[in-house]
Amino acid sequence: MKFQFRLAYYIFGLFLGGVFVMWFLKAKATDRGVEFCYLPNCRVLKDLRSKSLTIDSLAQQSLNEKWVTLEDIRNSLTYGDVDFGKSNEPYRKGKIYIIEGKTSKNEEITITMVNYTERVLLEKIEKK
């Protein structure tokens, strides 16, 4: 058998095996409530969600104005995008993260959070 055919069979089998393993592990993780985060955006958002949230007075003013809710913040921490160009900078003994998300009314918002070792500070919420 030529090398090209052996290589094609090998790659095809490797692809099928990889798809089967990913499908099997994903189903197993879903049953146990485990989330696999390999990409940087997912890892940062998961870390921010896992810590206790403290709200700064500036962010509390935005929440009191009722154009954004705490549920919008939670959704942005699940489905939002981290702006790594402005994030991961040392700031007040923590690291600052800028997250771009949306409200329930589909308005774009920018959330500024400071990540400490034990907690997360919601510093500011802005409309885009």
Side-chain angles (χ1 to χ4, degrees):
M1 187 181 285
K2 290 185 178 180
F3 176 72
Q4 295 172 340
F5 292 115
R6 284 188 290 176
L7 182 64
Y9 282 127
Y10 175 77
I11 290 174
F12 181 70
L14 187 67
F15 174 73
L16 282 180
V19 168
F20 177 74
V21 166
M22 291 300 291
W23 173 71
F24 181 73
L25 289 179
K26 187 174 184 178
K28 189 174 182 180
T30 305
D31 291 343
R32 293 187 179 178
V34 178
E35 181 182 8
F36 292 108
C37 287
Y38 296 111
L39 298 176
N41 191 60
C42 182
R43 288 173 36 190
V44 167
L45 292 176
K46 183 178 179 183
D47 183 46
L48 293 174
R49 283 192 311 265
S50 68
K51 296 179 183 176
S52 63
L53 182 67
T54 307
I55 301 174
D56 191 81
S57 61
L58 188 60
Q60 188 62 46
Q61 287 177 352
S62 298
L63 290 170
N64 290 341
E65 292 173 4
K66 305 281 190 209
W67 59 269
V68 65
T69 63
L70 207 51
E71 189 63 31
D72 296 333
I73 304 300
R74 287 190 189 105
N75 287 337
S76 295
L77 287 177
T78 304
Y79 304 110
D81 293 319
V82 179
D83 186 358
F84 285 104
K86 300 174 185 173
S87 297
N88 206 12
E89 300 286 330
Y91 181 77
R92 294 186 188 175
K93 298 182 182 178
K95 290 190 175 184
I96 193 163
Y97 287 98
I98 311 296
I99 299 146
E100 297 170 351
K102 291 187 177 184
T103 64
S104 57
K105 298 173 185 172
N106 213 19
E107 297 173 331
E108 293 187 2
I109 57 173
T110 303
I111 304 166
T112 304
M113 300 184 105
V114 182
N115 188 10
Y116 297 105
T117 55
E118 300 294 321
R119 65 186 174 96
V120 175
L121 174 68
L122 177 60
E123 190 171 70
K124 159 172 71 166
I125 308 165
E126 300 171 317
K127 286 184 184 179
K128 270 193 163 184

